[in-house]
């Protein structure tokens, strides 16, 4: 059975490929289906779906929504929703507005650190309306402040770093409810990146999210080691959640990650997507 990929980015957020090129690559690597999950936007879906029709590849509507989490952000993947639903549209507008307030604050901090870039330079790195830290990192590289984007994160932009500003967003339970009311379901992305201090703390977090109506946990993600995947698989099973996965492909901005297989260990069956859709159909979120 051919695998699918439930987590991939285009240049409508911080991936490097435009949607049609991502779909062509998905066809090339032999995927059965591809979910386009840009940060805080679904604007890449139409181009991807069009390319999918001509290349005979199923394109799944998805998104990776930025929610609040102390000291960083929580990423919630969503599937099976109606992207025209009013509250859903309003939520994305609010998150993007939050980014428009946050980005200049990050640039102010970079000026104070002696490594200035302008908003125009940052915008020039973006292929859509969702602008974030990877675009700022790319602009810092273009200015010659750093040899590569990764160094810009390490020195200044990483969570808690000297130029970090937390994203303005909604609480996870609010995002989960809005997605559920739009007929969809949510999956907590790469939970390891939430940096809980213990196994018990991860357990408490997943329990809370499950009570809020979460549909799945992203178990197979390139950033998670086998023992971490084991923990998240166990927590998903404990709470009746779908154990999901995906490559989190970004193209050239994360050159070691391949579409479909991620770090070489990812292989997600179509049944995982069906299990997520079954939750939507049951209205369970
Ligand atoms: P933003 O949504 O603007 O906060 O940017 C988040 C994105 O930045 C993530 O989805 C990653 O693609 C990227 N990112 C976050 N932390 C790092 C890091 N330490 N190194 C490289 N990329 C990172
Ligand atoms: Zn990203
Ligand atoms: Fe993410
Ligand atoms: Fe992602």
């Amino acid at each position: 059975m051919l695998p699918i990929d439930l987590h991939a980015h285009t240049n409508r957020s911080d991936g490097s490929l435009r949607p049609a090129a991502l779909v062509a690559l998905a066809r090339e690597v032999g995927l059965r289906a591809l979910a386009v999950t840009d940060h805080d936007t679904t604007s890449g879906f139409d181009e991807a779906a069009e390319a999918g029709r001509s290349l005979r590849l199923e394109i799944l509507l998805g998104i990776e929504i930025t929610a609040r989490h102390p000291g960083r952000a929580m990423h919630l993947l969503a599937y099976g929703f109606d992207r025209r639903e009013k509250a859903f549209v309003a939520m994305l507008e609010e998150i993007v507005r939050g980014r428009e307030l946050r980005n200049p604050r990050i640039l102010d901090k970079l000026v104070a650190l002696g490594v200035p870039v302008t908003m125009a330079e940052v915008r020039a790195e973006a292929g859509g309306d969702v602008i974030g830290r990877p675009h700022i990192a790319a602009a810092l590289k273009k200015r010659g402040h750093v040899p590569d984007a990764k160094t810009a994160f390490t020195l200044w932009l990483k969570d808690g770093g000297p130029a970090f500003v937390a994203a303005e967003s909604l609480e996870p339970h609010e995002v989960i409810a809005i997605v559920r009311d739009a007929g969809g379901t949510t999956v907590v992305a790469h939970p390891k990146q939430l940096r809980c201090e213990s196994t018990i703390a991860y357990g408490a977090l997943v329990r809370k999210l499950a009570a809020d109506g979460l549909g799945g946990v992203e178990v197979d993600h390139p950033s998670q080691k086998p023992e971490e995947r084991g923990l998240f698989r166990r927590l998903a099973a404990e709470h009746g959640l779908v154990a999901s996965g995906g490559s989190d492909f970004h193209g050239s901005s994360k050159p070691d990650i391949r579409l479909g297989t991620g770090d070489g260990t990812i292989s997600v069956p179509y049944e995982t997507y069906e299990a997520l859709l079954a939750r939507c159909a049951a209205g369970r979120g």
Side-chain angles (χ1 to χ4, degrees):
M1 191 59 128
L2 294 177
I4 65 171
D5 198 333
L6 285 173
H7 190 164
H9 296 269
T10 78
N11 70 346
R12 296 303 172 93
S13 64
D14 57 7
S16 63
L17 297 180
R18 54 178 303 155
L22 179 72
V23 174
L25 179 61
R27 192 79 176 78
E28 216 176 286
V29 302
L31 291 179
R32 169 163 175 204
L34 169 74
V36 176
T37 58
D38 276 311
H39 298 282
D40 306 322
T41 182
T42 60
S43 73
F45 178 73
D46 291 325
E47 182 181 312
E50 178 70 40
R53 277 190 289 277
S54 57
L55 294 175
R56 295 176 180 280
L57 180 77
E58 187 182 354
I59 304 302
L60 314 173
L61 176 64
I63 189 168
E64 185 174 14
I65 304 167
T66 309
R68 246 180 252 152
H69 186 72
R72 40 184 42 83
M74 180 183 290
H75 287 175
L76 290 164
L77 293 158
Y79 308 94
F81 52 84
D82 175 359
R83 64 187 165 133
R84 290 180 200 88
E85 220 277 328
K86 248 182 163 170
F88 186 85
V89 172
M91 168 179 69
L92 297 188
E93 282 171 1
E94 187 178 335
I95 295 173
V96 170
R97 248 195 325 273
R99 286 183 175 277
E100 282 160 8
L101 298 173
R102 174 202 194 208
N103 288 328
R105 293 179 59 204
I106 296 177
L107 298 195
D108 286 348
K109 289 193 167 191
L110 291 170
V111 168
L113 290 161
V115 284
V117 284
T118 65
M119 201 56 224
E121 289 170 297
V122 173
R123 214 170 275 123
E125 299 297 328
D129 297 333
V130 177
I131 299 176
R133 286 181 287 164
H135 306 111
I136 298 174
L140 285 162
K141 175 180 183 254
K142 198 162 275 177
R143 268 273 189 128
H145 292 313
V146 278
D148 51 56
K150 183 80 199 157
T151 307
F153 272 96
T154 308
L155 291 176
W156 309 301
L157 296 171
K158 68 179 177 198
D159 293 345
F164 178 69
V165 176
E168 289 287 332
S169 188
L170 291 80
E171 292 294 332
H173 73 87
E174 297 176 296
V175 173
I176 290 168
I178 289 168
V179 170
R180 190 190 48 212
D181 291 348
T185 191
T186 43
V187 172
V188 62
H190 42 66
K192 179 211 170 166
Q193 291 175 29
L194 298 170
R195 305 261 188 109
C196 294
E197 73 275 14
S198 65
T199 302
I200 291 169
Y202 277 114
L205 182 83
V206 173
R207 179 177 307 113
K208 163 84 172 69
L209 292 171
D212 291 337
L214 186 77
V217 178
E218 194 179 41
V219 171
D220 293 312
H221 184 274
S223 73
Q224 291 169 178
K225 299 195 211 55
E227 62 271 25
E228 292 160 341
R229 295 183 196 187
L231 167 65
F232 298 134
R233 198 178 303 282
R234 183 168 66 68
L235 291 174
E238 195 177 314
H239 297 283
L241 303 173
V242 177
S244 189
S247 69
D248 205 359
F249 179 78
H250 278 73
S252 59
S253 53
K254 285 187 187 168
D256 302 337
I257 300 300
R258 270 163 302 152
L259 189 62
T261 54
D263 59 345
T265 66
I266 313 281
S267 180
V268 178
Y270 194 82
E271 285 72 17
T272 302
Y273 181 65
E274 288 177 325
L276 289 166
L277 282 194
R279 291 192 67 101
C280 301
R284 294 169 70 193

